[in-house]
Amino acid sequence: MTTITIIPGDGIGPEIMDAALHVLDVLKPGFEYEFADAGVAALEKHGELLPAATLDSIRRNQVALKSPLTTPVGGGFSSINVALRKHFDLYANVRPAKSFPNTRSRFPTGVDLITVRENTEGMYIGEGQEVSTDGETAVLTSRVTHQGAERIVRYAFELARKTGRKKVTVVHKANILKSTSGLFLKTAREVAARYADIECNELIVDNTCMQLVMRPEQFDIIVTTNLFGDIISDLCAGLVGGLGLAPGANIGDDVAIFEAVHGSAPDIAGKGIANPCALLLGVGQMLDHVGKPELANRLRDAIVATLEARDSLTPDLGGNGNTMGFAKAIAARV
Ligand code: ATP
């Protein structure tokens, strides 16, 4: 029996988590749940944003499903999501983007790609941030390591093999960022040489953005450094209908946390109208991860069928349904 740590989170978090758990009840993957607090919900109950009991639960179970968390503005709080990534060394941020019917998408068909973003290095290490005393000059440190580049590119190729995908595109800017992006590209070439069965191509990040907007169907798996991956994965979410349909996984060697990419949407919290699809697609990634791909596929097919039928869609998708009604419509099709 697999036990999953469930973090209901903040804002619309508990609403979409209830919806996800309802669909899981119908899918019957045989999970047990351990509920844990994080974010403002945890601050109010336990006086801290990320209680040790929550970290212990995730470490023990190795798999967590997490709703959006709010990091309070001010008060010196740093991002809880970043803290989780650092704590468990979740180096791979994996974001699928697939066309769905009846969404406000430029590409209602043809897109089926995964962005694999390095999650721990690059521009986001938070070191060396300085602004000169006259306020005229700002610098920061970007760090890429051979070990960090090797493991993320290897992850991308292994993912390709596991999912039957055929091509990995290494996205870089090695022509200008010769040290950091240069090392990433050189390492990626070493790794690619070990995977003769998977096609590998290289693309400069600016060209990648243009190609994604013009011909996204040419991409299969994209692997890249932290900053480029952050931007590209949101661009890809936009190609297929926006954040309401964008799931993500943060994966390390020991622990994996699955989530919706969007935030806690305080503007619609408590109204019962949040779209549960992003978290449900995160559930799909989680089912794949724990070795239940047939259930994952049934869930994804049910989401597509519900969108196709325009059954109980939430307002962000142009319907007038509610979160649980939408979840029930999906559950009825799994
Ligand atoms: P945070 O600071 O937690 O990131 P935010 O409001 O800045 O919150 P999001 O929560 O991602 O960012 O919300 C951006 C917009 O998208 C909001 O208008 C929100 O209502 C909408 N939105 C986000 N997620 C959903 C969802 N699941 N269903 C419907 N609308 C959503």
Side-chain angles (χ1 to χ4, degrees):
M1 180 80 73
T2 307
T3 305
I4 311 281
T5 298
I6 299 286
I7 302 175
D10 299 315
I12 59 171
E15 300 163 48
I16 57 173
M17 187 61 82
D18 278 351
L21 293 176
H22 172 74
V23 178
L24 274 167
D25 280 349
V26 177
L27 267 176
K28 297 197 189 348
F31 292 156
E32 286 201 350
Y33 304 126
E34 200 168 277
F35 286 81
D37 294 312
V40 169
L43 191 64
E44 284 166 359
K45 268 201 222 165
H46 314 284
E48 50 185 338
L49 287 169
L50 196 48
T54 300
L55 294 173
D56 287 346
S57 170
I58 299 172
R59 185 176 302 104
R60 205 169 37 246
N61 298 323
Q62 298 186 304
V63 181
L65 181 65
K66 179 178 78 59
S67 267
L69 306 175
T70 303
T71 302
V73 180
F77 297 114
S78 52
S79 161
I80 313 154
N81 290 324
V82 172
L84 282 169
R85 280 175 206 169
K86 280 198 177 150
H87 191 85
F88 293 113
D89 195 20
L90 306 176
Y91 59 87
N93 182 233
V94 181
R95 300 231 338 227
K98 193 168 188 263
S99 294
F100 288 109
N102 288 325
T103 63
R104 284 197 205 116
S105 159
R106 290 188 176 273
F107 296 95
T109 59
V111 180
D112 183 7
L113 63 85
I114 302 176
T115 305
V116 176
R117 162 189 169 192
E118 203 294 320
N119 226 1
T120 61
E121 300 197 329
M123 294 279 219
Y124 290 7
I125 55 172
E127 288 177 29
Q129 306 229 41
E130 277 172 35
V131 180
S132 62
T133 41
D134 62 5
E136 294 290 325
T137 308
V139 292
L140 66 75
T141 301
S142 175
R143 181 185 301 119
V144 170
T145 67
H146 182 269
Q147 187 235 353
E150 201 274 340
R151 67 180 179 176
I152 194 69
V153 178
R154 181 160 35 91
Y155 184 91
F157 276 93
E158 288 295 329
L159 182 66
R161 270 198 185 152
K162 208 165 79 185
T163 55
R165 288 174 180 265
K166 302 278 177 266
K167 185 166 86 172
V168 172
T169 301
V170 179
V171 173
H172 67 93
K173 187 76 187 177
N175 52 334
I176 306 293
L177 307 175
K178 291 185 194 293
S179 59
T180 49
S181 225
L183 178 59
F184 187 81
L185 180 59
K186 179 172 166 285
T187 309
R189 286 175 181 163
E190 288 166 20
V191 175
R194 305 203 295 262
Y195 292 87
D197 50 322
I198 312 282
E199 184 188 341
C200 178
N201 68 338
E202 300 164 3
L203 212 53
I204 291 179
V205 63
D206 33 4
N207 186 17
T208 304
C209 291
M210 185 189 69
Q211 296 288 339
L212 275 168
V213 173
M214 295 184 72
R215 288 200 309 117
E217 68 283 354
Q218 68 183 288
F219 293 93
D220 200 347
I221 289 182
I222 290 172
V223 63
T224 190
T225 44
N226 207 337
L227 171 68
F228 298 158
D230 191 7
I231 297 166
I232 284 175
S233 54
D234 264 28
L235 189 160
C236 292
L239 292 176
V240 297
L243 291 179
L245 294 158
N250 292 291
I251 297 181
D253 287 332
D254 303 320
V255 163
I257 301 180
F258 299 87
E259 63 188 4
V261 165
H262 58 73
S264 57
D267 53 336
I268 57 166
K271 296 184 179 163
I273 55 166
N275 178 355
C277 277
L279 188 63
L280 278 169
L281 291 164
V283 169
Q285 282 184 283
M286 182 174 81
L287 289 165
D288 281 329
H289 181 81
V290 300
K292 298 184 185 293
E294 66 296 337
L295 290 185
N297 288 334
R298 271 173 58 198
L299 172 57
R300 285 185 284 258
D301 289 349
I303 292 172
V304 171
T306 310
L307 289 169
E308 231 149 30
R310 299 199 62 82
D311 184 1
S312 309
L313 304 191
T314 43
D316 60 302
L317 295 173
N320 53 15
N322 58 54
T323 308
M324 194 45 98
F326 195 7
K328 285 185 174 162
I330 293 166
R333 290 176 169 86
V334 299

